[in-house]
């Protein structure tokens, strides 16, 4: 079994294009964590950073996340693979222009965005659509910026590849190899299904965490000691409220159709609890919570 694992690992490395140069557009947590492992595991020989934030550029260079910083146009010219890790609305606006530049070449572009329907729409009729592979790695933390980058962030997490049939076979194969190097489990679905699923699994979790944080902060103005008794349960529930608004506001707007649907369902469930508590219905509350307990079968 160990021999088979080693053989598979060697085969993956042999398949990878040598002297790979990667351009990462948007130097933050996801980008930094990606390049830490892609460099260490031999996927990339040279990494070029592109970011409008000079502070992020300097940190990435000093920390060795990138080998150089450059303009978007120069980075595309120098690179074999372009990875978009900017906010989802910026990814959407940038992709058509990048496809214009790489049309007719073997270059590949991918994005790490949390929504996919909008970027699919932005690229669907482009002559070079095949050079693009849509990816969403289901990994992250509540922190942001290049200093938040950590190794092994993606190990054994899911990576969703959307609309794979629209990508050229060689482009898809390259991205699949990259995900293999990151030890990710590959999942395939179409863009619309993806956005529905992440609205329920990821996006609503962030909205409820932001909302809870705002509730507690409002109350803290009246009762100064409320945060001093916060325990592990509160910390784990509100952890996502530390997430960067620059990242999450565009996600909420890009996926607004499905997020609003989920929010309506969530409010309905909250009202069910409110009604039972108002009526002091002990058995009703127990029954509702027992129904919720069924999530254990899915998560365990």
């Amino acid at each position: 079994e160990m021999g088979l694992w080693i053989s598979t690992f060697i085969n993956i490395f042999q398949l990878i294009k040598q002297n790979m140069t990667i351009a990462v557009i948007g130097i933050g947590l996801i980008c930094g964590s990606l390049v830490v492992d892609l460099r260490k595991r031999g996927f990339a020989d040279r990494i070029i950073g592109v970011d409008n934030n000079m502070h992020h550029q300097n940190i990435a260079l000093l920390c060795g996340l990138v080998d150089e910083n450059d303009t978007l146009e120069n980075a595309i010219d120098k690179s074999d693979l372009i990875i978009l890790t900017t906010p989802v609305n910026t990814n959407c606006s940038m992709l058509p222009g990048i496809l214009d530049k790489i049309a007719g070449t073997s270059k590949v572009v991918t994005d790490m965005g949390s929504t996919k329907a909008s970027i699919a729409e932005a690229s669907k009729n482009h002559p070079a659509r095949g050079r693009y592979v849509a990816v969403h790695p289901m990994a992250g933390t509540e922190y942001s910026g290049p200093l938040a980058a950590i190794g092994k962030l993606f190990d054994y997490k899911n990576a969703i590849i959307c609309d794979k049939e629209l990508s050229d076979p060689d482009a898809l194969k390259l991205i699949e190899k990259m995900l293999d190097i990151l030890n990710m489990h590959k999942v395939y679905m179409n863009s619309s299904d993806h956005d529905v699923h992440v609205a329920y699994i990821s996006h609503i979790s962030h909205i409820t965490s932001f909302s809870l944080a705002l509730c507690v902060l409002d109350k803290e103005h009246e009762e100064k000691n409320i945060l001093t008794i916060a325990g592990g349960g509160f910390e784990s529930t509100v952890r996502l409220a530390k997430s960067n608004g620059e990242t999450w506001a565009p996600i909420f707007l890009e996926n607004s159709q499905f997020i609003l649907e989920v929010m309506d369902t969530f409010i309905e469930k909250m009202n069910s609890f409110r009604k039972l508590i108002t009526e002091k219905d002990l058995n009703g509350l127990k029954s509702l919570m027992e129904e919720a307990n069924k999530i254990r079968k899915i998560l365990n």
Side-chain angles (χ1 to χ4, degrees):
E1 189 172 320
M2 179 62 73
L4 179 62
W5 184 89
I6 294 172
S7 176
T8 302
F9 194 71
I10 291 172
N11 287 338
I12 290 171
F13 267 86
Q14 288 175 339
L15 286 169
I16 294 172
K17 180 178 179 180
Q18 297 303 305
N19 303 314
M20 173 77 69
T21 298
I22 296 177
V24 284
I25 319 301
I27 307 171
L29 164 71
I30 296 298
C31 158
S33 300
L34 271 172
V35 298
V36 164
D37 286 334
L38 293 181
R39 187 194 298 278
K40 186 181 295 183
R41 299 174 188 181
F43 185 83
D45 294 290
R46 190 159 190 80
I47 297 166
I48 304 171
V50 178
D51 199 297
N52 291 330
N53 187 318
M54 187 68 71
H55 184 54
H56 285 185
Q57 288 185 27
N58 291 337
I59 290 173
L61 198 59
L62 288 170
C63 292
L65 297 177
V66 302
D67 298 296
E68 63 177 297
N69 293 298
D70 210 331
T71 64
L72 176 62
E73 187 170 351
N74 288 343
I76 293 170
D77 287 342
K78 296 176 183 177
S79 302
D80 306 293
L81 172 62
I82 301 102
I83 303 177
L84 299 177
T85 58
T86 62
V88 290
N89 57 331
T90 307
N91 287 348
C92 285
S93 63
M94 292 176 66
L95 181 60
I98 293 173
L99 291 175
D100 287 342
K101 295 180 185 301
I102 69 173
T105 73
S106 62
K107 297 176 186 288
V108 177
V109 58
T110 187
D111 79 300
M112 301 286 116
S114 182
T115 62
K116 285 291 178 278
S118 294
I119 200 166
E121 183 67 23
S123 60
K124 71 176 184 179
N125 294 320
H126 198 287
R129 169 60 184 83
R131 306 315 300 163
Y132 165 59
V133 182
V135 177
H136 178 198
M138 299 297 292
T141 74
E142 65 271 33
Y143 302 108
S144 60
L147 285 176
I150 54 174
K152 300 182 180 180
L153 176 66
F154 303 98
D155 280 4
Y156 314 115
K157 305 294 197 319
N158 288 331
I160 303 173
I161 299 176
C162 292
D163 308 326
K164 71 172 186 176
E165 70 282 355
L166 299 181
S167 299
D168 293 339
D170 67 303
L172 178 63
K173 188 175 182 180
L174 177 65
I175 299 305
E176 288 175 330
K177 290 174 190 172
M178 181 184 79
L179 298 175
D180 288 338
I181 287 293
L182 293 170
N183 292 326
M184 300 198 78
H185 303 299
K186 299 184 293 294
V187 180
Y188 301 88
M189 61 180 65
N190 66 50
S191 298
S192 296
D193 287 345
H194 166 274
D195 284 8
V196 174
H197 297 327
V198 294
Y200 276 89
I201 300 301
S202 174
H203 300 168
I204 191 63
S205 299
H206 282 79
I207 291 174
T208 53
S209 188
F210 284 126
S211 299
L212 177 59
L214 291 171
C215 287
V216 171
L217 290 170
D218 280 350
K219 192 65 176 177
E220 176 72 0
H221 292 151
E222 302 171 19
E223 300 181 19
K224 298 299 181 184
N225 293 324
I226 192 168
L227 288 179
T228 65
I229 62 171
F234 174 78
E235 290 178 6
S236 62
T237 305
V238 83
R239 174 182 64 84
L240 295 176
K242 301 175 187 176
S243 301
N244 190 345
E246 292 288 330
T247 298
W248 282 96
I251 290 171
F252 293 160
L253 295 184
E254 289 287 337
N255 207 22
S256 60
Q257 175 189 349
F258 300 122
I259 289 176
L260 290 173
E261 176 185 310
V262 182
M263 289 178 73
D264 288 342
T265 304
F266 183 82
I267 291 168
E268 177 188 321
K269 301 305 178 186
M270 286 288 286
N271 282 331
S272 295
F273 273 101
R274 191 182 194 284
K275 180 176 182 293
L276 293 170
I277 292 170
T278 300
E279 296 172 353
K280 300 189 184 305
D281 186 343
L282 181 65
N283 290 330
L285 283 168
K286 287 180 179 179
S287 178
L288 201 57
M289 286 185 273
E290 285 168 5
E291 185 68 21
N293 289 160
K294 293 178 181 177
I295 198 72
R296 293 172 183 162
K297 295 179 181 179
I298 298 173
L299 298 180
N300 287 341

